[in-house]
Amino acid sequence: MDVNYRIRKKNEATGVRIVSQYVQEFWECGWQPFDSRNDEGIDGLILMLRKGIDLGVRINVQVKCGPTYISSINKDEIRISIDDEKGLLKHIEYWKKQLEPAILIFVNPSLPIKDKHGNILKDINNKILLKENRLHAKAWWVNLKDENLQPDNTKTIVRIPRVNVFGEHSKGDFLKLIRPLQSIEHLPKILLNSDSKGLLLSMNLKKDAREFFKSWKNKKAVFCKAINSEIIISKIGWRHILHNRRGKERRIISLKLLGIAKQIIEEVTEKYLLNQKETISRLEQKYGLRAVINDKITGTQVVQVIILRVTNKHTQETIWKFYSVHYRR
């Protein structure tokens, strides 16, 4: 097996281990790794919690691990080099448009070798000699939306402030990042139409919801602004909403919100990656679309629609489907 491939796989494992250990053991937050990077260059999600309570914000994380990424180091910053210029610039453009944070975490599994006087040793090509330090690898993070992310006149270099140590005590920095998103002010507001109001106030909910969904499904596909493409309305959504494991109250709420779900799909322009799972043959990703509603009965509420993206890994064919709708507490 190729040596570089083996080292790359070890570095990937070290990077994810360091991130997941701090997030889950020390921060007591959730961590969802992705087996392979998705379209947005995300390696995993941090699910932010405080005292076991989900704060409702996910942090998108890209992990880089290995000394080969290091372009230069000084007392103030680490500069790492991302080889894929086109991919990096595309991802930065995407991340800056998202409301939820996007973070790069750099893990260094190596230390410089020093002589007995503390001097760093170098080889004949003036390259620093390194030794592995995987068990206690150090890590740093940077906000990928930071205006100072890239030095001037560079396309593949990312700068990481050395004060941004990623570790046991950096949860507070991440809580500051998500603080603005715990407000609902940034979310779009939906003015309810007659169909949405009718289902919210229905006295014969199951019948009215079934007729509404049947009419919606008969259109085969509807345009979704958030993905700039069509989305299929199928039995998958209906079956999920009425599944027994969801509990009676949750099923009723979802039926009442079907009209609002249709409005959100047609009107809302932003989506959020919630999770993904992968098999040999397919990749399933769930995205959330969110909006604020205000009516006399429920008051102000945040409604989230979940849409499902299914990609056939052999043919690369992708389809989008409506999956669910609920109040986002």
Side-chain angles (χ1 to χ4, degrees), residues 125-293:
N125 297 315
N126 204 36
K127 185 177 180 181
I128 294 174
L129 296 174
L130 301 170
K131 61 180 178 181
E132 285 196 349
N133 184 43
R134 293 185 183 278
L135 187 60
H136 303 291
K138 292 185 177 181
W140 296 263
W141 67 275
V142 65
N143 182 355
L144 289 166
K145 300 182 185 181
D146 194 323
E147 293 300 323
N148 297 315
L149 180 67
Q150 291 188 278
D152 292 339
N153 302 317
T154 66
K155 294 182 179 179
T156 62
I157 302 295
V158 171
R159 58 177 13 142
I160 305 175
R162 293 190 71 173
V163 295
N164 286 7
V165 175
F166 181 81
E168 179 179 355
H169 303 295
S170 49
K171 180 180 180 181
D173 294 321
F174 283 61
L175 288 172
K176 289 178 183 177
L177 275 178
I178 70 169
R179 192 172 294 155
L181 298 178
Q182 292 179 271
S183 163
I184 64 173
E185 293 302 317
H186 64 283
L187 292 176
K189 296 174 177 58
I190 296 292
L191 183 63
L192 301 188
N193 60 27
S194 58
D195 285 338
S196 297
K197 291 179 180 178
L199 284 176
L200 278 176
L201 300 172
S202 175
M203 301 301 291
N204 193 357
L205 180 61
K206 192 165 185 179
K207 176 179 176 294
D208 291 343
R210 189 187 301 276
E211 289 179 357
F212 176 87
F213 193 85
K214 184 178 179 180
S215 173
W216 196 18
K217 184 169 72 70
N218 285 343
K219 295 181 180 179
K220 303 296 183 183
V222 297
F223 189 79
C224 175
K225 276 192 175 182
I227 63 172
N228 195 33
S229 181
E230 288 189 329
I231 184 170
I232 296 171
I233 311 300
S234 70
K235 290 182 179 179
I236 287 178
W238 184 257
R239 287 170 181 165
H240 170 78
I241 286 172
L242 292 184
H243 200 289
N244 288 335
R245 69 185 176 195
R246 297 191 70 234
K248 183 177 179 180
E249 182 181 359
R250 292 175 67 194
R251 296 198 300 269
I252 290 173
I253 288 173
S254 292
L255 292 175
K256 284 178 175 288
L257 295 176
L258 279 173
I260 297 170
K262 182 175 182 292
Q263 282 193 254
I264 288 176
I265 286 173
E266 293 174 349
E267 298 177 28
V268 169
T269 60
E270 299 287 348
K271 68 182 188 300
Y272 308 86
L273 181 63
L274 302 176
N275 59 57
Q276 77 176 30
K277 62 181 180 179
E278 193 168 2
T279 65
I280 295 175
S281 60
R282 59 191 262 150
L283 174 66
E284 289 189 4
Q285 297 168 301
K286 289 177 183 173
Y287 287 84
L289 315 178
R290 300 168 192 163
V292 176
I293 66 165

Side-chain angles (χ1 to χ4, degrees), residues 52-111:
I53 298 173
D54 189 346
L55 298 178
V57 181
R58 275 65 173 146
I59 296 178
N60 304 302
V61 176
Q62 184 174 114
V63 182
K64 297 293 184 185
C65 179
T68 56
Y69 283 108
I70 298 174
S71 172
S72 64
I73 300 178
N74 61 35
K75 64 182 179 66
D76 297 317
E77 66 183 23
I78 301 170
R79 294 189 176 191
I80 67 171
S81 176
I82 312 295
D83 293 334
D84 185 359
E85 173 188 326
K86 183 178 179 181
L88 176 64
L89 297 178
K90 177 184 175 184
H91 289 151
I92 289 174
E93 182 181 351
Y94 171 83
W95 293 323
K96 286 185 176 181
K97 291 179 181 178
Q98 305 310 302
L99 292 174
E100 294 188 317
I103 300 298
L104 184 145
I105 298 173
F106 171 64
V107 180
N108 189 2
S110 303
L111 288 174

